[in-house]
Amino acid sequence: MTQHLADRTQPTSDAPTPNPGAHAATPGVPTPPEWWRHAVIYQVYPRSFADANGDGMGDLAGIRARLPYLAGLGVDAVWLSPFYASPQADAGYDVADYRAIDPMFGDLHDADALIRDAHDLGLRIIVDLVPNHSSDQHEWFQRALRDGPGSPLRDRYHFRAGKGEYGEAPPNDWESIFGGPAWTRVADPDGTPGQWYLHLFAPEQPDFNWENPAVRDEFRSVLRFWLDMGVDGFRIDVAHGLVKAPGLPDMGHAGQLRLLGTQKLPFFDQDGVHEIYRSWREILDEYPDQRIGVAEAWTPTEDRTALYVRREELNQAFNFHYLNTPWDAAELRRVIDSSLDSMRPVGAPTTWVLSNHDVVRHRTRLGGGVERARAASLLMLALPGSAYVYQGEELGLPEVTDLPDEARQDPAFFRRGAGGDGQDGQDGLRDGCRVPMPWSRDGASFGFGGVGGWLPQPGDWGALSVEAQTDDPGSTLELYRRALAERRARSALGAGDGVEWLEAADGVLAFRRVGADGRAVLVAANTTDRAAPLPGACASARGQVLASGPYRQGEPLPADTTVWWEE
Ligand code: BGC
């Protein structure tokens, strides 16, 4: 079976068997010390990246064909959102088989070829792991339904009797992130109304019971499966959700989603999750070349986030506090300081992220068009730590805000108002950042593949395509390419764990960073809508490295502009 792994050109219909040791050393990828500390990690949303077979849905072969583009862009690693076998109730975050690829994306041979090609190009691969919940079509859940109350399979999920005389009310008052109650009632095998099960997201996503040892064993095995396939790490979905407060206590009030990321909740960020990540870190460390775990952890404070990246736990956690910060110099400075201060004691790198598949694209969210988005990106890419780039942000793509209702697929969209007040879940508008990528100026789907994608692209996206922007020195794509090349060449950008703030006018953020090679970089970002005086240190800088918009040295800093200088 391992022969398949060696012979990519002749896949057979058998699935490749993961082969421990097959990827012991990643060809083409030298292993610098702790590569992940300053890595730029590019998020691919497989449904929307590239469609090789023309069925309107992106696939692994499409991603594989575009790997040279990603290598040329200059990123270090690629994080793939879920591609596992899934009924797609939540775009693949509802996994029916953690060891299989959904046929719409390809098969394990495609995954193997993708991982190998990425490594040959010097790119690392991080896959999404979804351990908080499975799909309701997962074999375990289906068996749990069949086996009935009290069965060992039911104990792998959270099944409870309902409240009320006939068990007609949910076991507690928790709300689903997607709206409505976090519980759904099932019928007993004989057809009578039976127990309820917990789902913090859609009803098609039942939460696992992480107190059950079989669940823990299964995920340790799944980790090894993908590590043996050669992946370099995992982005851990809802990493803060696995353990629930003992007894599943009531919240006592509605509107729980509004507290997410600001207050302690009985279903999120419980201390018990850390034991799980300690056991996972042991597995990651058994493999060569620094395999990593990245927590998607929504916690009330940056200090609570830091707990996920203590030395024996995961390597990175997304910095949602930064993502949620408006384009305002004082607020940015505060969150940059507090992010760095929280991570320093645990020795983990800070991460920076502006866009992903769950939030409004930052070109639109920050409210200042492409100029502001470019300035925000150049600021982010100068900060010490690891940066995340979401597919299409390098093209300056805006959020698509006018998708017709009939095109939408976000499960939260269909549960709007499920709890009565219409305000209790996510807005359900996440499809607007998931529209397929434009690769070429023309064609029915601008080179995405086939005659159209699973979500309609705006008619003018050809002008934003990779083809249209390549070699245009003023384009956002060429700005990202230059920024990532400079970041690779200068250790003052990305590496390290601190910034030296410089005096600057109100609304301007300015700092100095010194690289391991002793060369210093100065950075200034004007977050206002007017030109601002240049910070003194920048006025006397040796040379301009890069500017997010038109800028002539010595002139005031234009509105919504970030500039990098060599000191
Ligand atoms: C993912 C979402 C998904 C949810 C449930 C997240 O935080 O990023 O896209 O809907 O987890 O799995």
Side-chain angles (χ1 to χ4, degrees), residues 422-448:
Q423 299 272 312
D424 63 340
Q426 273 181 0
D427 61 13
L429 303 177
R430 294 178 299 167
D431 291 311
C433 64
R434 299 173 177 180
V435 173
M437 286 269 286
W439 292 93
S440 55
R441 266 201 197 89
D442 307 302
S445 62
F446 303 117
F448 168 68

Side-chain angles (χ1 to χ4, degrees), residues 15 49 75 82 172 178 230 251 259 313 327 382 385 429 491 509 514 545 549 551 560:
F49 191 63
V75 301
N172 75 14
F178 292 161
M251 276 290 297
L259 309 176
E313 297 194 28
W327 181 239
L429 303 177
S491 57
L509 205 59
V514 187
V545 175
Y551 177 65
D560 286 331

Side-chain angles (χ1 to χ4, degrees), residues 299-307 319 321-322 335 338-339 342-343:
T299 72
T301 63
E302 287 143 328
D303 290 345
R304 291 288 307 177
T305 304
L307 299 178
N319 187 349
H321 300 279
Y322 185 71
V335 79
S338 61
S339 304
S342 319
M343 294 297 149

Side-chain angles (χ1 to χ4, degrees), residues 300-367:
T301 63
E302 287 143 328
D303 290 345
R304 291 288 307 177
T305 304
L307 299 178
Y308 290 76
V309 288
R310 285 175 288 187
R311 215 162 274 285
E312 308 75 36
E313 297 194 28
L314 302 172
N315 303 73
Q316 295 185 351
F318 289 106
N319 187 349
F320 294 121
H321 300 279
Y322 185 71
L323 186 149
N324 283 329
T325 305
W327 181 239
D328 173 274
E331 294 208 41
L332 285 163
R333 178 169 169 167
R334 191 193 51 72
V335 79
I336 291 168
D337 274 339
S338 61
S339 304
L340 293 167
D341 290 349
S342 319
M343 294 297 149
R344 217 173 280 119
V346 295
T350 308
T351 64
W352 312 101
V353 57
L354 290 168
S355 285
N356 65 34
H357 66 294
D358 289 329
V359 300
V360 174
R361 283 187 176 277
H362 71 271
R363 167 167 171 180
T364 304
R365 193 184 69 243
L366 297 176

Side-chain angles (χ1 to χ4, degrees), residues 150-192:
S151 63
L153 267 295
R154 285 222 173 175
D155 190 55
R156 294 181 188 181
Y157 295 91
H158 295 280
F159 278 90
R160 294 283 185 284
K163 284 186 176 161
E165 197 178 343
Y166 306 103
E168 70 280 10
N172 75 14
D173 66 359
W174 295 359
E175 293 166 352
S176 155
I177 308 299
F178 292 161
W183 296 88
T184 290
R185 195 171 194 185
V186 301
D188 277 342
D190 68 3
T192 55

